Amino acid sequence: MKPIMRKLIATLMAVAMFSACTDDLTLKPISQITNTSFWKSPEEARGALNGMYVRMRTQAATNFFVWGEARSEMWVQNFGFDPSINFFAFANSLSRVNPGPDWTAMYSVVHDANMILKYVPTIQFTAESDKNEILAQAYAMRAFIYFMMTKTWGDLILLDQPTEGFDPSTIYKERRPQAEVFAMIKKDIESALALFPSNNIPTGRVRWSKPALNAFKADVFLWTAKRLNGGAADFNTALTAIAEVEKSDVQLLGDFSQVFAFTNKGNKEVILAVRFAEGESTGRSVFGGVTPLAAPTAPFTPQSVIDKLLPYSGKDGYWQMSQLVTKQFSDDDARKNATFIEVNQTKEGVTSFLYNIDQKWPGVITGGVRVMYDDLILYRYADIILMKAEAQNGLGQDPSEAMNMIRKRAYGAKFAAHTFVNGTKAANDEAILQERLFELAQEGKRWWDLVRFGKALEKVPLLKGKTENDLLFPLGETILSLEPLVKQNPGY
């Protein structure tokens, strides 16, 4: 991957700028970095680790959401034409000319992990457990990035060593079958599990840990159980991983909205998040905002709504939650008002719909401006509980206890009217998928859920008449022109 790897060779220079910390990433300039001079101390190893997280955060700012939710039925066009490449994902009009975000920067994160895995074992640490934890995080990150990519593009180029030269036999590779990709992912997960020194979750919950890795492991094995014919064995493995998560310091918060409160980052429902902070990162690209042309100052909009929504800057105003989705929420469900606001106007006694605005990621108002520094939660306990229900149902077990844990919080005093009752496996699967829609909307999960449950072609209006081939993203002309051994996905 010549053009990609030319950029990757410079990774150490960027990585070395970051010093070790717990919650934030601070700059520490180091000059004249080479492989022989850099990998000498634990501090440099931690700097490289921080650099890996920074590069991943850049992808999480927008692309994780685009790959994981944009193509679902969750979003429809708002006001104006979206000038970004993401338009084609939201509109499900992807092509080799308009493929959406490509994989180049994701392979940069893989390269960072590979550098750590190659060079950190050569460094002397006072405590071996410190070295092992760095290696564990690198294995976990590499596995996670490959998981994101294989769900997006299917077969992948597999790299388990850093690319440190320009020899064509090294940099040009064919894609490997998805089964081999998952074999590598699962191997990396086990390598990381063996290296994490404890089941503790680090302060801030923004680094890989053993509980986060087990949450990820459950996610992987649910995917292969359903999409790669892993069946009962993989469902059982997922349940075992979930049991390990349940032993850690996690809990379901009593108030759903507090999971996402800006002042409550790193709460005990969070297992792993990507940290965004003012002065440290450029923030997230969060959808569901409004444009000046359709700001909530429109005539006849209630003042209470205007007060809550303004200022409207800071969000992407081109996309809003679809009424197809919002109308499925019950008024009894506390998640409704914590997830979106329906903005209406009343004129001459007639109330009409204007638009929906997301509420899960409201940002924070600083100096009269809304800035989008909400963390992106990758795994939280409610997600794991619903994974448990899914795995249990896959094995023919009763998922009622897990489902009702989620519903009790959602419906509160009105829970009795919404109690889940065990039914057929197919009916349970449909109910679990629906519960995940209500619980995890706007969290970058919906597209993956639809694909995993085999429901994307059925539930996404823009995919009616399409085939399984259309569930993968295409490879763009740029990638194909730069990678002579890489072939296009079927259907594109």
Side-chain angles (χ1 to χ4, degrees), residues 90-359:
F90 280 97
N92 267 299
S93 57
L94 296 166
S95 67
R96 60 192 296 155
V97 178
N98 297 304
D102 69 31
W103 66 28
T104 305
M106 293 288 274
Y107 273 107
S108 298
V109 185
V110 170
H111 179 77
D112 292 343
N114 284 339
M115 294 289 281
I116 291 169
L117 293 171
K118 178 177 180 178
Y119 289 107
V120 168
T122 67
I123 299 173
Q124 290 292 323
F125 281 70
T126 302
E128 193 71 11
S129 60
D130 292 343
K131 176 192 288 188
N132 288 343
E133 187 161 3
I134 290 173
L135 294 172
Q137 290 182 67
Y139 275 120
M141 185 70 84
R142 185 171 73 180
F144 179 75
I145 295 299
Y146 269 117
F147 184 51
M148 292 285 287
M149 289 200 295
T150 195
K151 290 188 298 180
T152 304
W153 293 286
D155 300 345
L156 296 173
I157 297 168
L158 286 181
L159 301 172
D160 62 0
Q161 295 293 321
T163 302
E164 300 176 277
F166 297 103
D167 177 60
S169 64
T170 300
I171 63 177
Y172 293 132
K173 294 182 181 294
E174 296 179 343
R175 298 163 78 187
R176 305 305 304 162
Q178 192 175 56
E180 291 185 27
V181 178
F182 272 102
M184 180 174 173
I185 290 168
K186 291 176 178 181
K187 182 180 178 181
D188 279 355
I189 288 172
E190 295 309 313
S191 296
L193 285 172
L195 287 166
F196 272 117
S198 73
N199 206 39
N200 295 333
I201 302 177
T203 302
R205 301 177 180 240
V206 294
R207 299 283 181 130
W208 282 103
S209 64
K210 199 167 189 176
L213 185 59
N214 274 309
F216 168 46
K217 181 177 180 177
D219 199 3
V220 168
F221 277 85
L222 280 178
W223 188 274
T224 56
K226 288 186 167 181
R227 298 291 294 175
L228 273 73
N229 300 313
D234 284 3
F235 282 129
N236 276 309
T237 300
L239 282 177
T240 300
I242 289 166
E244 291 301 311
V245 176
E246 292 174 329
K247 296 176 184 177
S248 66
D249 185 24
V250 295
Q251 67 181 51
L252 206 62
L253 299 193
D255 182 346
F256 178 78
S257 66
Q258 283 302 301
V259 178
F260 314 97
F262 195 87
T263 56
N264 201 30
K265 291 185 176 187
N267 61 74
K268 289 196 175 184
E269 185 160 330
V270 176
I271 301 172
L272 178 64
V274 181
R275 174 57 49 87
F276 290 89
E278 193 169 7
E280 174 193 301
S281 65
T282 55
R284 291 180 58 194
S285 176
V286 182
F287 301 95
V290 291
T291 66
L293 293 176
T297 52
F300 314 108
T301 300
Q303 187 63 42
S304 59
V305 174
I306 294 173
D307 291 342
K308 185 166 186 177
L309 299 180
L310 288 178
Y312 51 77
S313 61
K315 290 186 170 229
D316 181 342
Y318 298 110
W319 301 97
Q320 62 171 311
M321 284 190 71
S322 70
Q323 287 187 287
L324 175 65
V325 168
T326 59
K327 287 185 177 300
Q328 295 177 50
F329 280 78
S330 166
D331 290 339
D332 294 346
D333 192 339
R335 296 171 296 193
K336 180 177 181 177
N337 289 337
T339 302
F340 67 93
I341 294 175
E342 184 176 271
V343 180
N344 299 309
Q345 68 172 358
T346 301
K347 184 178 181 180
E348 298 178 354
V350 178
T351 299
S352 58
F353 171 79
L354 286 177
Y355 42 74
N356 290 305
I357 299 180
D358 71 85
Q359 283 297 287

Side-chain angles (χ1 to χ4, degrees), residues 44-104:
E44 289 167 338
R46 295 186 186 101
L49 185 70
N50 285 338
M52 179 182 72
Y53 278 99
V54 168
R55 208 185 298 266
M56 185 268 275
R57 181 176 64 192
T58 301
Q59 294 301 291
T62 298
N63 289 346
F64 282 10
F65 183 88
V66 172
W67 292 322
E69 189 159 304
R71 297 187 66 191
S72 73
E73 82 281 39
M74 186 81 66
W75 301 92
V76 293
Q77 200 162 357
N78 194 354
F79 301 95
F81 179 80
D82 181 354
S84 74
I85 62 172
N86 298 326
F87 172 84
F88 301 97
F90 280 97
N92 267 299
S93 57
L94 296 166
S95 67
R96 60 192 296 155
V97 178
N98 297 304
D102 69 31
W103 66 28
T104 305

